[in-house]
Amino acid sequence: MTMTNKQNIINTDPEFGVDSRYKSKKEREQDSIALMQARLERMKKIPKEQVIRAKLLQLKLQMEKYLKEPVYDKQNHFTKFLESYVDTIYVKRSEFAKDINITPVFLSQIINNHREPKEEFILKLMVHSEKVFKNVGEFPKTTWYQLYLHEKLSDTMASHAEWGPKIEKQVKLSALITN
Amino acid sequence: MFVAEVSTGRIYPVDVSPVVAADYKILLKSRYAFDWKEEKNKEVYKLVLKGQTDILGLISIERIPDEWRIHIRLLSVSAENKGKNKHFENIVGNLIAFVAKIAVAEFGPLACISLKPKSSIAQHYIKKYKMRITGVTLSLEVPEIIDLINQYDHD
């Protein structure tokens, strides 16, 4: 081996300076077509469990994003995430209800926002998710609780115009607080 | 996400965040392999040790939602982190895992990230990151994309 070759090997690192940009529109189109054809073939062979695994990871990442970036709106994100969680794993929602020992009616009322989830329901959800995510990836125990509380806070802030004036009338300071 | 200090084996938590306008002034070609200013109108992310500002690695990407795919345009560790004498290990793994998370969050089971490196370094990505090869394009799809996220994404 010559000195120059040796030097090249030492200086070359496959993770330093990787240029992967397409050089032309044509090159990009050709690569897109070839890659898509190969992917579609591979997708046909992906086992159902792997699809569910990917959907659950997607759900987890979307939950994390929601918790990181506060959205003060009146949408019911907790129940949307819950609905998506249940429908990803079960064919029938009643099967999930049975697995966490609640009635299908109770579950339906929570998903349709006709009933508040009680603490026991969230705790059951926490334990259920812990078991489900064992085969998916890390899932912090606190996630569902955080979602629920985050939503409560969001609802409260989003409806400040409704409750603010009434509550402000009921609150006064009997002692003047000064610095 | 963590990187490991090669000399001591100590691990350090890292943050990956978007490159801001002020960063481009310090992104010299001699240290980061490219003129990153060319990517100013693209989506570019930097990796730093938590609580610090020195940039250890960079990645620029293009989202292609019609194909449920994110294409990696440019990728590089900083000059001190290349070769046998590198300071930190796992910089590129974390950057790819970060992009993989964006892809899975957006496209779920259809998620794909792609890379088109020179053929001389393709084997490295196939071996180390379990990328598949189609023609000259490397890609990461389900289930390998999930395994990569799980390998690098820890709190």
Side-chain angles (χ1 to χ4, degrees):
Chain A
M1 192 181 286
T2 65
M3 270 310 286
T4 317
N5 281 345
K6 252 188 188 174
Q7 204 58 42
N8 279 343
I9 290 167
I10 292 165
N11 289 338
T12 304
D13 186 309
E15 299 192 340
F16 179 73
V18 183
D19 189 348
S20 171
R21 292 173 289 192
Y22 293 111
K23 306 289 180 281
S24 67
K25 204 178 166 188
K26 193 180 169 192
E27 180 197 8
R28 182 199 167 102
E29 282 171 2
Q30 283 174 343
D31 283 6
S32 288
I33 292 167
L35 181 60
M36 186 54 89
Q37 281 174 346
R39 284 173 61 203
L40 289 173
E41 279 308 306
R42 291 196 284 260
M43 278 176 201
K44 287 179 195 166
K45 295 172 193 156
I46 296 177
K48 198 182 162 197
E49 316 80 80
Q50 293 294 353
V51 173
I52 293 175
R53 211 170 150 233
K55 283 184 179 176
L56 286 168
L57 181 59
Q58 180 180 30
L59 183 67
K60 179 198 134 173
L61 294 170
Q62 289 171 344
M63 286 171 166
E64 282 178 358
K65 190 179 176 207
Y66 172 71
L67 288 172
K68 265 187 206 158
E69 297 162 14
V71 184
Y72 295 131
D73 61 15
K74 285 190 171 179
Q75 295 290 312
N76 209 324
H77 298 274
F78 176 85
T79 50
K80 285 280 165 219
F81 285 128
L82 173 63
E83 188 178 18
S84 184
Y85 176 73
V86 177
D87 293 347
T88 299
I89 308 165
Y90 294 90
V91 178
K92 289 180 183 171
R93 289 180 185 172
S94 58
E95 291 169 6
F96 172 68
K98 196 177 164 192
D99 277 358
I100 63 164
N101 198 25
I102 59 169
T103 66
V105 175
F106 186 91
L107 176 64
S108 167
Q109 286 172 336
I110 291 176
I111 286 179
N112 294 307
N113 303 308
H114 298 315
R115 182 193 277 258
E116 282 277 305
K118 287 182 183 167
E119 186 175 21
E120 191 183 332
F121 175 82
I122 301 174
L123 293 177
K124 284 177 175 177
L125 195 52
M126 199 187 274
V127 174
H128 189 274
S129 304
E130 203 180 351
K131 290 174 195 257
V132 165
F133 272 87
K134 259 185 189 162
N135 296 320
V136 181
E138 274 182 19
F139 186 81
K141 268 188 176 183
T142 51
T143 305
W144 286 109
Y145 233 121
Q146 280 179 317
L147 280 174
Y148 176 70
L149 297 173
H150 189 77
E151 175 116 4
K152 280 269 153 214
L153 179 65
S154 299
D155 285 351
T156 306
M157 298 317 290
S159 60
H160 182 266
E162 291 161 33
W163 58 262
K166 189 184 164 194
I167 297 295
E168 274 163 26
K169 274 181 196 167
Q170 295 175 38
V171 178
K172 61 179 180 179
L173 281 180
S174 55
L176 197 62
I177 299 168
T178 54
N179 285 330
Chain B
M1 288 179 153
F2 297 91
V3 290
E5 191 175 36
V6 177
S7 60
T8 61
R10 275 183 68 185
I11 58 166
Y12 293 86
V14 292
D15 273 329
V16 180
S17 60
V19 165
V20 294
D23 290 326
Y24 287 101
K25 288 178 195 159
I26 54 160
L27 295 181
L28 304 176
K29 193 174 175 179
S30 55
R31 194 174 173 211
Y32 298 102
F34 299 111
D35 181 2
W36 286 84
K37 287 189 196 84
E38 289 175 12
E39 298 295 289
K40 254 186 173 174
N41 60 347
K42 304 289 175 193
E43 213 175 324
V44 187
Y45 296 94
K46 60 183 175 184
L47 182 145
V48 298
L49 296 185
K50 228 179 219 337
Q52 297 196 19
T53 53
D54 188 38
I55 297 171
L56 307 180
L58 292 155
I59 193 166
S60 90
I61 61 168
E62 181 190 354
R63 298 184 195 221
I64 312 173
D66 291 351
E67 299 174 31
W68 318 296
R69 171 163 75 105
I70 295 179
H71 185 67
I72 298 171
R73 291 171 50 82
L74 292 181
L75 173 65
S76 191
V77 292
S78 60
E80 327 78 68
N81 288 297
K82 70 172 182 175
K84 279 185 177 174
N85 298 320
K86 67 173 82 166
H87 292 178
F88 292 104
E89 192 84 73
N90 296 341
I91 295 168
V92 162
N94 279 305
L95 286 168
I96 297 176
F98 178 83
V99 175
K101 280 173 70 178
I102 298 175
V104 173
E106 292 275 320
F107 312 124
L110 304 172
C112 170
I113 56 175
S114 58
L115 180 72
K116 196 180 176 184
K118 282 181 187 161
S119 53
S120 57
I121 59 168
Q123 273 306 318
H124 170 79
Y125 289 88
I126 294 169
K127 258 189 168 177
K128 190 164 182 183
Y129 303 108
K130 309 277 183 297
M131 287 189 166
R132 294 165 184 263
I133 186 159
T134 304
V136 284
T137 306
L138 302 183
S139 64
L140 209 50
E141 299 148 30
V142 170
E144 290 84 4
I145 196 169
I146 301 177
D147 297 336
L148 185 91
I149 292 171
N150 286 333
Q151 188 183 340
Y152 288 94
D153 186 32
H154 300 287
D155 283 331

